[in-house]
Amino acid sequence: MWMCLFTAIATRIDDKVVRGEDMMDVYHFNERFVSCQPQGDPILNALDVILREITCLYSPLVSNFITAYTLNFMSFNCLDSETKDMQISLKAPLYPEYSRVLSGMPDTYGFFAFPSMLPIREYIQCMPDLRIVINHTNDILSYYKEEMEGDNTNYLSLMAASRTSTLKQDALLELIEKTVQAHHNILEYLRPGSEACDAYVSFFEGYVKFHVALKRYKLKDIMTEMSSSD
């Protein structure tokens, strides 16, 4: 339930940028969080409260990681607001990946994938691959929605713009291959049948179903179109 609430709040905060809402309180979130001051917005207050509960759910080390990555996410929303119309330079091909890591909180959700009592050494080495799976599964399943909305600031758009001859569709295919490989890497590392592997498989299945079920991603529209064309 905690992760559901966290996700709902984070999604609403992310929408602030998309909708062009007032970002002033978002800019001050980290400062107010650290100094234990009231946030100036109900949604931000909710995040403040729920984030302080993390120490009751996870070890001090994992709690530190989750808190730090969440604060980075808040900073990214401010960065995203200020760089909306920024042209992506061909001289900075790694910027899209940097931007995506900050925006997607893949490390936060990577820790959510495993039981809180599971020793971190059981899964920490797969976190780089898990970062790819979490971020880019979302990018792949968001592709239709973002194309329909004309969104040119998403990861695939930035990825294509950072290269001289890459179409967005080609970037999508490349991303699918990269994500599938990362998924297989995780399964091989965690060893099928282990508690960590079972937790990851359960998380991944739920992660995909979450995207399919949520109207936000419009995936049922694709299914309807496919059914009507049969």
Side-chain angles (χ1 to χ4, degrees), residues 3 9 58 61 64 72 76 115 119 130-131 136 199 225:
M3 187 170 70
I9 294 168
Y58 290 91
L61 176 58
N64 288 345
N72 280 344
F76 173 79
L130 190 48
R131 173 186 286 180
H136 299 326
E225 289 180 13

Side-chain angles (χ1 to χ4, degrees), residues 43-118:
I43 296 297
L44 299 182
N45 275 330
L47 179 61
D48 189 305
V49 170
I50 199 171
L51 190 55
R52 294 185 191 281
E53 296 174 355
I54 195 66
T55 55
C56 300
L57 304 173
Y58 290 91
S59 69
L61 176 58
V62 173
S63 296
N64 288 345
F65 276 126
I66 291 174
T67 301
Y69 292 136
T70 302
L71 296 181
N72 280 344
F73 166 74
M74 297 303 291
S75 295
F76 173 79
N77 277 284
C78 300
L79 176 65
D80 193 26
S81 178
E82 294 197 14
T83 58
K84 267 188 172 300
D85 301 320
M86 182 177 69
Q87 184 174 356
I88 303 303
S89 172
L90 297 176
K91 304 296 184 182
L94 296 181
Y95 179 76
E97 194 67 35
Y98 168 77
S99 172
R100 190 66 183 95
V101 168
L102 289 176
S103 69
M105 290 194 289
D107 300 290
T108 296
Y109 282 92
F111 284 113
F112 289 165
F114 301 101
S116 60
M117 300 305 293
L118 190 67

Side-chain angles (χ1 to χ4, degrees), residues 153-221:
T153 61
N154 54 62
Y155 174 75
L156 279 167
S157 296
L158 298 183
M159 182 179 171
S162 69
R163 303 176 181 182
T164 54
S165 59
T166 301
L167 298 175
K168 196 183 296 187
Q169 292 84 350
D170 294 331
L172 175 63
L173 293 176
E174 179 182 331
L175 203 61
I176 291 172
E177 292 179 2
K178 179 180 179 181
T179 304
V180 169
Q181 183 59 58
H183 176 66
H184 287 305
N185 291 346
I186 294 169
L187 293 176
E188 290 182 10
Y189 167 73
L190 293 178
R191 303 183 311 278
S194 68
E195 183 180 2
C197 189
D198 290 345
Y200 168 71
V201 170
S202 178
F203 170 83
F204 182 73
E205 290 178 354
Y207 191 59
V208 172
K209 289 177 181 177
F210 166 80
H211 285 80
V212 172
L214 211 61
K215 292 182 179 179
R216 175 188 183 91
Y217 297 102
K218 306 181 188 297
L219 294 176
K220 289 187 178 180
D221 293 353

